[in-house]
């Protein structure tokens, strides 16, 4: 799990295609401090496992499934990538909870200057829009950002100068592809609502009262009353 706060931009040192996928070698500094083989590092928002550590580099194996459903397929030697090491219980949660599981590849529609900020609009599959809300959080290439506007099939974010310098999105242009992950809380909420009854109340084993009230017997049946 990650926070969406990019720690550094690394550089793709090499890309080696293998029968079962791709092996990436990435030059980095911050994320490999105290790193060990088996640790998780998000690369452009994709959670990857460190398989080897070298002098200022780390390697990760990317299976074909991940290559196919993310922008890692677009990477070339020398490209900059957003990097974040997985969080610990001591990590400040300055962004939001990010899993590193890319849901869709979006396409940048426009990049416009807005005072000292930069407004970026991204197209995404329409079915993803139900998880995106204005002023909510979204992850673009691993960076936790605030949604400034949303409509079916697209959303916008605004980058302050620090973010423009710190993440890949500050360098990208219309037509570029980006990895997108929505807020996990929206998906859990949808799941809970799907399991609720017509009145919107979560199902509770043993409850059959029409008014949805809770009885002493129900509490006892479910371990809340001794």
């Amino acid at each position: 799990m990650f926070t969406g706060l990019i720690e550094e931009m690394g550089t793709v040192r090499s890309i080696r295609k293998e029968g079962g996928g791709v092996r990436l070698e990435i030059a980095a500094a911050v994320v490999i401090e105290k790193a060990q083989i088996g640790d998780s590092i998000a690369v452009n928002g994709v959670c990857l496992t460190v398989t080897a550590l070298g002098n200022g580099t780390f390697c990760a194996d990317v299976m074909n499934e991940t290559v196919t459903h993310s922008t890692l397929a677009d990477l070339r030697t020398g490209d900059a990538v957003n990097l974040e090491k997985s969080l610990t219980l001591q990590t400040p949660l300055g962004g939001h909870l990010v899993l590193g599981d890319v849901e869709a590849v979006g396409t940048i529609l426009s990049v416009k200057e807005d005072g000292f900020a930069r407004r970026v609009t991204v197209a995404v599959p329409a079915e993803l829009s139900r998880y995106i809300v204005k002023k909510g959080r979204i992850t673009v290439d691993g960076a936790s950002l605030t949604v400034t506007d949303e409509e079916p099939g697209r959303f916008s974010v605004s980058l302050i100068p620090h973010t423009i310098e710190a993440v890949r999105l500050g360098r990208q242009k219309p037509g570029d592809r980006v990895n997108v992950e929505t807020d996990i809380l929206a998906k859990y909420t949808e799941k809970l609502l799907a399991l609720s009854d017509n009145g919107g109340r979560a199902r509770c084993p043993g409850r059959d009262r029409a008014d949805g009230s809770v009885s002493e017997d129900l509490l006892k049946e479910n371990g809340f009353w001794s």
Side-chain angles (χ1 to χ4, degrees), residues 14 16 18 21-26 39 41 43 46-53 57-63 72:
S14 68
R16 188 166 70 247
E18 300 178 347
V22 172
R23 168 163 285 202
L24 294 177
E25 182 184 14
I26 297 172
D39 286 351
I41 294 177
V43 179
V46 181
C47 178
L48 300 178
T49 300
V50 175
T51 57
L53 289 162
T57 67
F58 72 92
C59 292
D61 294 330
V62 188
M63 59 185 173
L72 295 187

Side-chain angles (χ1 to χ4, degrees), residues 43-102:
V43 179
N44 285 351
V46 181
C47 178
L48 300 178
T49 300
V50 175
T51 57
L53 289 162
N55 184 20
T57 67
F58 72 92
C59 292
D61 294 330
V62 188
M63 59 185 173
N64 287 329
E65 174 74 10
T66 304
V67 173
T68 302
H69 293 92
S70 73
T71 64
L72 295 187
D74 303 338
L75 290 179
R76 300 292 181 268
T77 301
D79 282 353
V81 288
N82 292 335
L83 300 176
E84 181 191 355
K85 199 171 186 296
S86 59
L87 63 81
T88 68
L89 293 179
Q90 288 75 43
T91 303
L93 189 59
H96 72 286
L97 294 178
V98 176
L99 300 184
D101 296 327
V102 173

Side-chain angles (χ1 to χ4, degrees), residues 14-182:
S14 68
I15 303 172
R16 188 166 70 247
K17 294 183 178 180
E18 300 178 347
V22 172
R23 168 163 285 202
L24 294 177
E25 182 184 14
I26 297 172
V30 178
V31 297
I32 60 174
E33 290 180 7
K34 300 180 181 180
Q36 299 179 11
I37 293 174
D39 286 351
S40 295
I41 294 177
V43 179
N44 285 351
V46 181
C47 178
L48 300 178
T49 300
V50 175
T51 57
L53 289 162
N55 184 20
T57 67
F58 72 92
C59 292
D61 294 330
V62 188
M63 59 185 173
N64 287 329
E65 174 74 10
T66 304
V67 173
T68 302
H69 293 92
S70 73
T71 64
L72 295 187
D74 303 338
L75 290 179
R76 300 292 181 268
T77 301
D79 282 353
V81 288
N82 292 335
L83 300 176
E84 181 191 355
K85 199 171 186 296
S86 59
L87 63 81
T88 68
L89 293 179
Q90 288 75 43
T91 303
L93 189 59
H96 72 286
L97 294 178
V98 176
L99 300 184
D101 296 327
V102 173
E103 294 173 77
V105 173
T107 302
I108 296 176
L109 294 176
S110 65
V111 178
K112 298 179 180 179
E113 302 303 320
D114 183 14
F116 61 70
R118 183 173 299 168
R119 183 183 178 86
V120 182
T121 300
V122 180
V124 292
E127 61 269 20
L128 211 63
S129 292
R130 67 181 183 271
Y131 303 126
I132 303 173
V133 297
K134 188 174 181 178
K135 304 305 179 184
R137 307 297 289 182
I138 196 162
T139 308
V140 179
D141 275 349
S144 174
L145 300 169
T146 300
V147 177
T148 56
D149 275 302
E150 178 274 328
E151 58 184 274
R154 66 176 62 190
F155 68 89
S156 296
V157 294
S158 190
L159 312 180
I160 62 172
H162 170 78
T163 307
I164 291 171
E165 295 296 323
V167 305
R168 273 172 48 91
L169 196 56
R171 305 180 178 188
Q172 292 178 289
K173 60 187 185 301
D176 286 348
R177 305 196 321 150
V178 293
N179 293 322
V180 177
E181 180 187 335
T182 59

